[in-house]
Amino acid sequence: MSRTLITGGTVITAADELADTVLDATGKYVIPGGVDGHTHMEMPFGGTVAADTFETGTRAAAWGGTTTIVDFAIQPRGGALREGLDAWHAKAEGTCAIDYAFHMIMSDVNPSSLKEMEVLVGEGVTSFKLFMAYPGVLYSDDGQVLRAMQRGAETGGLILMHAENGIAIDVLIEQALARGETDPRYHGIVRHELLEAEATHRAIKLAQVAGAPVYIVHLSAEKALAEVAKARDEGLNAFAETCPQYLFLSSDDLARPGFEGAKYVCSTPLRPREHQAALWRGLRTDDLSVVSTDHCPFCFKPQKEMGLGDFSKIPNGLPGVEHRMDLLHQGVVEGHLSRRRWIEIACATPARMFGLYPRKGTIAPGSDADVVIYDPAARQTLSAATHHMAVDYSCYEGKEITGRVETVLSRGRVIVDGGGYRGRAGDGRFQQRATCQYLR
Ligand code: URP
Ligand code: ZN
Ligand code: ZN
């Protein structure tokens, strides 16, 4: 059995900073591998399929210091949860560079799928995403949401919510297109911030009625955050994540000239830049507990171009799995976060939220040795020319940041080192998860 000794660095976990230990990575940080709780590798969506496979997407994640992802398996409409889960296991098995787990998207809440939830929880798939958006595709009505939440409360399954009022949004899309408003920037306008706030409020109230916890995914609007903060002040088990794109990008990007804005189409949409300060504040106050990527990449050519002349046909989603640790470190550099909070929101809390702690999310005896040596002083320029995601553009093209992953260990084995990838497809193992470790 081989052993790896790291010497001389500053160990940062969410709990401690242990300087002057026996570790030696002089001038570097020794941090837990990142846990990205929200990815969509090779997801079929919007008439196409997300560009990163489990192989390319997890390799890119490894390059960026993420050593575990939780991806979303999808129940086919009219089919069983089991069918969706088996299909996702088949895609991921033997291909991943890092460890992986699954949430389950429920696109058809019915007596049979509600019954299946318990079986999935028993297999370590302990969270279920519902959509208040995308009528006719992934949408659940309020009755279905309530029933799934009640079942979540019974089984220990955590409900993750895509909180946007999709019925109202579809009306606004139709009206915008009828006025000839077809450019990508209208995507941000029709997906109105109040329709995110309203859905967030409704999700929280339905969860309260069901006696269930709820976790709001990809929160982008200040008013939606206010709903989460209010619920948390009332002592409810309401949690939320945001994503780097909402912290660093804005509706100005959606309004870039020509069709460039299509590169920034995701849902919930990018908001005016004034929202960013509120999101950073929410991360500091813990009203936002986690930063995930919602990695769902579509190439500009030909995928995003499917929406030329009709913004509603642009596949929704952004690439990002490779840059979460770096962009959040940039948040440390710019004074938005402490170093420990960086590790908390990127490693420890997602691991706890999704039942992976302390195996993942920290450095401790008994934990998997998923460890990153991070150079906090290195400078890098983000670009599609150098990133490892299988997508033909970067949302952050030309952005200069401070900090860079140097070495990555997955379960004690070096998989990225000295500018090279040392792992193999299939290194990553499926992780059965416990239930959410934050319930009060
Ligand atoms: O635009 C997004 N977020 N695409 C991925 C699917 C989802 O809703 O998370
Ligand atoms: Zn979503
Ligand atoms: Zn998503």
Side-chain angles (χ1 to χ4, degrees):
M1 182 177 133
S2 68
R3 296 200 308 169
T4 304
L5 181 68
I6 305 169
T7 57
T10 301
V11 180
I12 308 171
T13 67
D16 299 296
E17 293 191 14
L18 311 170
D20 303 325
T21 68
V22 291
L23 300 168
D24 185 15
T26 306
K28 313 285 162 51
Y29 297 157
V30 181
I31 61 175
V35 178
D36 188 343
H38 188 153
T39 68
H40 301 279
M41 304 305 172
E42 46 196 289
M43 176 192 186
F45 196 41
T48 184
V49 179
D52 262 316
T53 60
F54 277 92
E55 182 172 348
T56 62
T58 56
R59 199 165 55 217
W63 274 101
T66 286
T67 51
T68 309
I69 59 163
V70 191
D71 201 87
F72 285 84
I74 307 180
Q75 174 198 16
R77 278 224 154 176
L81 301 187
R82 162 69 48 210
E83 228 177 303
L85 183 58
D86 285 352
W88 256 254
H89 271 300
K91 288 196 257 193
E93 203 180 334
T95 68
C96 290
I98 55 170
D99 288 348
Y100 62 97
F102 294 127
H103 309 287
M104 188 78 221
I105 287 177
M106 295 183 75
S107 64
D108 195 350
V109 176
N110 59 46
S112 163
S113 57
L114 287 166
K115 202 160 165 220
E116 280 188 282
M117 287 172 74
E118 188 171 17
V119 181
L120 265 67
V121 169
E123 293 179 16
V125 177
T126 55
S127 41
F128 302 85
K129 183 176 176 187
L130 299 175
F131 286 77
M132 294 169 134
Y134 306 123
V137 187
L138 296 166
Y139 175 81
S140 294
D141 66 28
D142 288 353
Q144 290 173 311
V145 168
L146 182 66
R147 284 184 198 279
M149 285 174 163
Q150 288 170 332
R151 202 64 188 126
E154 281 166 21
T155 61
L158 177 65
I159 299 298
L160 317 186
M161 187 58 74
H162 181 129
E164 288 188 292
N165 185 328
I167 301 283
I169 287 168
D170 273 7
V171 172
L172 297 182
I173 291 174
E174 193 186 307
Q175 292 170 345
L177 292 175
R179 285 192 296 269
E181 296 168 351
T182 59
D183 292 346
R185 72 191 176 94
Y186 293 105
H187 172 82
I189 293 170
V190 299
R191 304 189 90 88
H192 200 288
E193 61 174 301
L194 291 177
L195 297 179
E196 183 186 347
E198 182 276 326
T200 302
H201 176 83
R202 190 156 32 101
I204 290 168
K205 288 298 141 192
L206 290 169
Q208 191 174 3
V209 169
V214 64
Y215 177 98
I216 309 293
V217 293
H218 49 51
L219 185 150
S220 68
E222 182 171 6
K223 286 189 166 70
L225 175 56
E227 295 289 346
V228 174
K230 182 167 171 291
R232 292 176 63 78
D233 288 348
E234 289 168 7
L236 298 177
N237 282 316
F239 308 98
E241 67 174 20
T242 192
C243 310
Q245 52 267 34
Y246 305 122
L247 297 165
F248 288 95
L249 303 171
S250 75
S251 50
D252 293 349
D253 294 296
L254 267 174
R256 285 187 188 215
F259 195 59
E260 279 292 289
K263 294 178 177 175
Y264 300 90
V265 166
C266 60
S267 296
T268 58
L270 302 180
R271 302 293 181 192
R273 66 176 62 248
E274 296 74 59
H275 292 242
Q276 291 171 1
L279 299 181
W280 284 115
R281 190 170 58 246
L283 286 171
R284 287 192 297 274
T285 60
D286 204 32
D287 290 318
L288 292 169
S289 312
V290 168
V291 175
S292 306
T293 59
D294 193 10
H295 176 75
C296 189
F298 297 101
C299 288
F300 186 65
K301 286 177 188 298
Q303 292 179 298
K304 291 284 187 181
E305 287 188 339
M306 290 163 65
L308 268 167
D310 178 350
F311 68 85
S312 72
K313 295 201 165 61
I314 301 168
N316 286 200
L318 304 189
V321 76
E322 190 168 348
H323 298 311
R324 184 183 61 122
M325 298 300 285
D326 284 333
L327 287 167
L328 290 177
H329 180 260
Q330 186 64 17
V332 175
V333 171
E334 292 175 9
H336 298 295
L337 301 171
S338 69
R339 292 190 298 196
R340 270 184 252 179
R341 187 65 182 149
W342 167 45
I343 299 308
E344 197 160 48
I345 61 182
C347 310
T349 303
R352 284 197 168 102
M353 191 66 71
F354 301 128
L356 288 161
Y357 195 89
R359 199 175 355 139
K360 305 295 185 188
T362 193
I363 301 170
S367 296
D368 284 355
D370 291 354
V371 179
V372 173
I373 300 179
Y374 195 83
D375 183 347
R379 302 273 301 158
Q380 61 168 317
T381 304
L382 304 182
S383 172
T386 49
H387 74 203
H388 302 86
M389 299 175 285
V391 60
D392 61 358
Y393 74 95
S394 169
C395 291
Y396 305 99
E397 189 63 44
K399 185 176 176 63
E400 292 187 7
I401 58 172
T402 303
R404 171 170 222 141
V405 169
E406 198 173 274
T407 304
V408 180
L409 288 81
S410 169
R411 277 182 274 102
R413 280 195 38 242
V414 173
I415 57 169
V416 174
D417 187 28
Y421 174 64
R422 313 281 173 225
R424 276 193 316 263
D427 282 344
R429 290 188 199 149
F430 173 66
Q431 303 292 306
Q432 289 210 3
R433 295 183 291 117
T435 54
C436 173
Q437 294 162 319
Y438 275 109
L439 299 183
R440 38 187 166 174

